[in-house]
Amino acid sequence: MYSLIRPLLFTLDAEHSHDLTLNLLQTAYRIPGVAPLVRRTYAGRTPALPVEVMGLRFPNPLGLAAGLDKEARCLAPLLDFGFGFLELGTVTPQPQPGNPKPRLFRLTRHAAIINRMGFNSSGLDVFLTNLAAQPRHGLIGINLGKNKLTPDAQAIDDYLTGLRAVYAHADYVTLNISSPNTPGLRALQNEAPLAALLGTLKHEQATLARTHGRHVPIALKIAPDLDDNGIDAIARLLVEHNMDAVIATNTTITRPGLDQEPQARETGGLSGRPLRALSTQVIRRLHAVLQGRIPIIGVGGISNADDAWEKLVAGADLVQLYTAFIYRGPGVVGEIVRGLAEKVRAHGATNLTDALQHARQRISA
Ligand SMILES: Cc1cc2nc3c(=O)[nH]c(=O)nc-3n(C[C@H](O)[C@H](O)[C@H](O)COP(=O)(O)O)c2cc1C
């Protein structure tokens, strides 16, 4: 089905086709009978592959990565495509337009995207209004960012504002300090500012947990463009601050294997197939340091079950994708989860956790 629609969508400029697709999904879901049909076609063909991470029980380990539904507009359709969870956002405290268009580019031959969206966001108020207007039948992460106009020295305040606003509505919250398209943002990954950010946000989480009677996990999303020392320093801080999870990775500012591609010169973060190996390396390094003490959510260039399995065996507890959804459509979700279930069986296991333990042991032996 998507193979018929994709050529039409790909004749449009990338951002236009993205907006059109979300609008179509929203509109279609108002037509009686559409939701059950989508659910039967996609979620119905996605096997259960439950896994417990961050104290939450995920129906399967494949989530939608942040950035596709920045405004929490399409919860039901996206969950009905079979995702085990959705990460919504990035949402900034105040509305902001993001960078001038064009700011989203398809590198079709490489199954990749370059984006320099720059946190286009309707802000927390609209985001929460959208969220409240929709029924929930799955796990929702909410990804927080800072406004471009907020001075770097006050960045923590934006994350605090975000955490307080979304706490009651999220199953987990992500601190996104790794988008390459907000000037100065990635500097928050440096040791001193990161220690201050994590310390403040974890303290606030404890206060909110008492008020709301519920612990909402906080994940940190990091870039793939860190060297080993940078990754190790972040891993140490994650442990020190008892963070609930780390998401590896965001898009890259490097252009692996794209020397001959004129569009690769566009400024922005690269996602999709060329990012795969780089983000897996970061996951492997994190896993070596963290040794299972903090869950890892692996993301970057996953487009089939082998890619997802590679990240899981490298140390991820959950995985996410975005770019493959654009290139391969909603059918990719069930296909990957079915492939993972098959791998679990091939390892003689009855659940993903045991299968991964087995696979990781085999590799280290
Ligand atoms: C168009 C686009 C917009 C994105 N926006 C965000 C965002 O707002 N926040 C975020 O944390 N990551 C964002 N990402 C990064 C993805 O969540 C993901 O980390 C990255 O694309 C790698 O996964 P993929 O190769 O499966 O796409 C965006 C990616 C794309 C392609």
Side-chain angles (χ1 to χ4, degrees):
M1 174 73 163
Y2 189 71
S3 55
L4 298 176
I5 299 170
R6 195 188 102 152
L8 289 175
L9 287 174
F10 274 38
T11 58
L12 302 173
D13 120 272
E15 185 164 352
H16 189 186
S17 96
H18 178 270
D19 293 342
L20 182 72
T21 307
L22 289 188
N23 287 339
L24 281 173
L25 275 179
Q26 264 187 317
T27 310
Y29 254 60
R30 293 193 198 109
I31 304 170
V34 169
L37 179 68
V38 171
R39 216 168 294 143
R40 254 197 328 274
T41 311
Y42 294 102
R45 291 190 197 149
T46 307
L49 190 57
V51 57
E52 198 168 319
V53 183
M54 303 185 278
L56 300 167
R57 191 174 164 82
F58 293 78
N60 72 61
L62 178 62
L64 174 70
L68 192 136
D69 193 359
K70 285 179 190 273
E71 289 168 6
R73 289 167 54 191
C74 285
L75 268 61
L78 291 170
L79 284 166
D80 288 345
F81 288 146
F83 282 113
F85 62 109
L86 305 178
E87 189 165 314
L88 307 172
T90 295
V91 56
T92 56
Q94 301 304 321
Q96 63 175 29
N99 287 324
K101 297 177 186 176
R103 53 191 180 178
L104 183 58
F105 308 90
R106 298 186 200 100
L107 284 67
T108 308
R109 275 193 312 135
H110 303 273
I113 289 176
I114 290 177
N115 91 83
R116 52 169 178 269
M117 305 299 285
F119 289 167
N120 52 311
S121 175
S122 301
L124 280 166
D125 288 348
V126 170
F127 181 96
L128 290 172
T129 306
N130 290 348
L131 197 60
Q134 293 168 80
R136 304 273 289 261
H137 60 279
L139 293 174
I140 302 294
I142 300 181
N143 179 305
L144 304 175
K146 78 174 263 292
N147 280 111
K148 186 177 178 183
L149 293 180
T150 302
D152 292 348
Q154 282 151 37
I156 293 179
D157 294 342
D158 275 12
Y159 291 96
L160 263 181
T161 303
L163 183 70
R164 289 179 183 137
V166 306
Y167 193 89
H169 312 282
D171 293 300
Y172 74 91
V173 173
T174 299
L175 311 178
N176 178 10
I177 54 166
S178 49
S179 163
N181 302 311
T182 294
L185 191 78
R186 283 185 169 191
L188 289 170
Q189 296 179 124
N190 297 336
E191 229 166 315
L194 185 57
L197 176 73
L198 300 187
T200 308
L201 272 285
K202 283 301 279 187
H203 184 266
E204 184 63 16
Q205 177 195 39
T207 308
L208 290 164
R210 278 194 298 276
T211 314
H212 293 269
R214 186 169 73 101
H215 171 87
V216 177
I218 304 181
L220 183 75
K221 184 163 180 180
I222 66 170
D225 305 318
L226 297 154
D227 61 16
D228 284 350
N229 288 337
I231 299 171
D232 294 355
I234 289 177
R236 277 195 304 274
L237 286 174
L238 292 170
V239 174
E240 207 172 289
H241 291 276
N242 201 15
M243 283 295 285
D244 301 284
V246 55
I247 305 185
T249 68
N250 214 312
T251 55
T252 176
I253 54 169
T254 66
R255 297 291 182 260
L258 296 177
D259 297 344
Q260 306 302 317
E261 178 60 55
Q263 273 216 306
R265 285 187 220 121
E266 292 289 352
T267 301
L270 172 74
S271 60
R273 197 197 292 149
L275 170 63
R276 199 198 83 224
L278 191 59
S279 83
T280 302
Q281 272 171 32
V282 176
I283 293 164
R284 200 167 282 125
R285 181 86 194 181
L286 277 173
H287 184 62
V289 184
L290 294 173
Q291 306 260 353
R293 283 172 292 181
I294 291 171
I296 300 171
I297 303 176
V299 50
I302 294 174
S303 83
N304 56 44
D306 287 340
D307 298 342
W309 186 250
E310 174 190 72
K311 284 199 167 37
L312 290 163
V313 175
D317 299 272
L318 297 166
V319 286
Q320 297 176 322
L321 59 76
Y322 180 155
T323 303
F325 189 76
I326 305 298
Y327 281 98
R328 306 210 38 225
V332 74
V333 183
E335 182 199 298
I336 291 179
V337 180
R338 283 193 296 277
L340 290 177
E342 188 49 50
K343 287 180 192 295
V344 170
R345 276 193 293 277
H347 278 269
T350 52
N351 64 68
L352 181 66
T353 311
D354 289 350
L356 285 175
Q357 204 177 2
H358 184 239
R360 288 174 191 156
Q361 266 164 5
R362 257 207 341 215
I363 283 176
S364 60

